[in-house]
Amino acid sequence: QAVAACATVGATLCSETIWERACETSAGTACDWSYASGCTTYSSMRCNGNDYDSNPGMPGDQDSVLPTGSLAMCYANWGASGRIYDLSGNVEEWALRRSAGVNPIRGGSYNDTRGGLMCDFDFVVAGDTIALPTVGFRCCRATAP
């Protein structure tokens, strides 16, 4: 379904390699997290992971999906090519399948901890029919340099 949705907008589902390369680069810096700046040091308030409370006015742990781009510093800065939001958190993302039933997931979600939000964190692969509220997808139109 994700592959078909991307095709309708003239794009492809991102491969693991392209996804990770996009996350790990911001303004020419090698990053551990997809932050606009300071991307080699973890910050609980830059991206939507378990440490970020989506409704800080309520008591307890508030975790939920936010609209893409809601957190101003949660993006990889690709200069003239633009910004790529929410690679570290919000929802985990399907990547292009390796083979039937072997679908990698990247990025970490709103309920993942610091390590799971890292650009190079490899989640387990999922089957073809998994559907969870923590999983989405991202379409790619060009390969990262």
Side-chain angles (χ1 to χ4, degrees):
Q1 291 173 331
V3 169
C6 289
T8 65
V9 296
T12 61
L13 189 63
C14 300
S15 71
E16 293 173 89
T17 302
I18 297 300
W19 190 101
E20 188 171 335
R21 192 175 305 141
C23 186
E24 289 179 336
T25 305
S26 189
T29 301
C31 296
D32 295 317
W33 292 273
S34 180
Y35 301 157
S37 63
C39 60
T40 58
T41 303
Y42 178 70
S43 171
S44 63
M45 299 306 290
R46 291 200 182 159
C47 291
N48 187 18
N50 188 56
D51 292 334
Y52 180 85
D53 281 341
S54 56
N55 189 344
M58 294 181 68
D61 188 19
Q62 306 298 317
D63 294 328
S64 62
V65 175
L66 299 173
T68 299
S70 292
L71 300 178
M73 296 300 288
C74 189
Y75 68 88
N77 182 357
W78 278 79
S81 297
R83 296 176 176 181
I84 306 172
Y85 284 91
D86 298 326
L87 289 164
S88 291
N90 212 24
V91 295
E92 297 159 345
E93 299 177 11
W94 288 100
L96 193 61
R97 75 193 296 182
R98 295 178 190 159
S99 60
V102 183
N103 302 285
I105 297 177
R106 304 301 302 224
S109 77
Y110 58 85
N111 68 355
D112 285 314
T113 59
R114 155 192 177 143
L117 302 173
M118 294 183 78
C119 294
D120 65 353
F121 185 77
D122 290 323
F123 285 94
V124 296
V125 294
D128 290 337
T129 59
I130 191 170
L132 298 169
T134 58
V135 179
F137 65 94
R138 179 179 305 268
C139 300
C140 288
R141 283 203 170 95
T143 59

